[in-house]
Amino acid sequence: MKTVEYHLGREEAKELLGRIDQALSSLDTKATLDEVVKLLNGNVPSYTWVGVYTMNDGALHLAAWSGPAPTVHDTIPLGKGVCGYAAKAGRTEIVSDVSKDPRYLECFLSTKSEIVVPIFAGGKVVGELDIDGDVLGAFSTTDKEFLEAVARKISAHWPIQSPPQLR
Ligand code: SME
């Protein structure tokens, strides 16, 4: 049950980061992304919807997600939405009230706040974590630090395994 009062605690974040690290140790990239979204959505009540986008050809593509429903935004051009902005700027974006942010691309009516955390590999943004919350101000600096640490764990599994591009 998702509760309004919940916020991620520092000790809890540390413990979950250890579990994520262990779960990822023997996985390839796609399995890693599936596992991360499931662990985050399943263990942190304020994380209503959790997705990982990967960057390819100037756009973000949804690679894994966990939550109550799929999003229509499975491809987001660089610079569009909070997701595209964070990817272009190469830094974490916290939006405490999505109704007040003109960049916001709506996915779910219930969403009130959002955090987007870039994933870096080889000094470049290669993807990002995107998390929606159903309460205003669901994300704190604890979430930011925790999710940036998760993003570093994910980047250790890059590059993503994908079929060769058709030309
Ligand atoms: N809200 C995002 C789009 C992705 S959905 O939240 C899953 C944005 O503004 O970029």
Side-chain angles (χ1 to χ4, degrees):
M1 190 64 193
K2 314 250 180 215
T3 59
V4 181
E5 297 82 12
Y6 179 86
H7 274 98
L8 180 70
R10 284 189 173 277
E11 282 309 307
E12 195 187 356
K14 206 169 140 191
E15 195 264 338
L16 185 53
L17 189 63
R19 284 173 56 196
I20 287 173
D21 200 21
Q22 201 179 13
L24 304 190
S25 56
S26 62
L27 300 178
D28 69 16
T29 311
K30 177 65 177 110
T32 293
L33 302 184
D34 288 338
E35 190 64 20
V36 167
V37 294
K38 201 173 75 188
L39 280 164
L40 292 176
N41 189 229
N43 286 284
V44 187
S46 47
Y47 297 178
T48 306
W49 189 92
V50 180
V52 176
Y53 287 86
T54 55
M55 182 88 97
N56 204 355
D57 291 336
L60 294 156
H61 303 275
L62 189 62
W65 65 276
S66 175
T71 174
V72 292
H73 298 295
D74 53 6
T75 301
I76 303 175
L78 195 61
K80 298 278 177 219
V82 183
C83 285
Y85 184 92
K88 197 170 178 181
R91 64 162 194 263
T92 297
E93 282 295 314
I94 294 179
V95 179
S96 298
D97 181 350
V98 294
S99 73
K100 297 208 163 74
D101 195 317
R103 299 169 302 176
Y104 177 67
L105 293 173
E106 184 178 286
C107 291
F108 312 109
L109 278 175
S110 60
T111 300
K112 296 276 195 305
S113 52
E114 178 167 18
I115 186 168
V116 182
V117 179
I119 300 164
F120 292 90
K124 285 193 188 145
V125 176
V126 291
E128 64 188 21
L129 278 160
D130 173 30
I131 303 182
D132 285 6
D134 278 357
V135 296
L136 292 168
F139 308 104
S140 68
T141 53
T142 302
D143 297 277
K144 177 178 185 285
E145 284 165 20
F146 166 60
L147 293 168
E148 286 174 353
V150 172
R152 286 193 290 274
K153 302 275 178 213
I154 294 173
S155 77
H157 292 256
W158 231 261
I160 191 160
Q161 308 298 317
S162 58
Q165 298 283 319
L166 295 173
R167 284 175 193 276

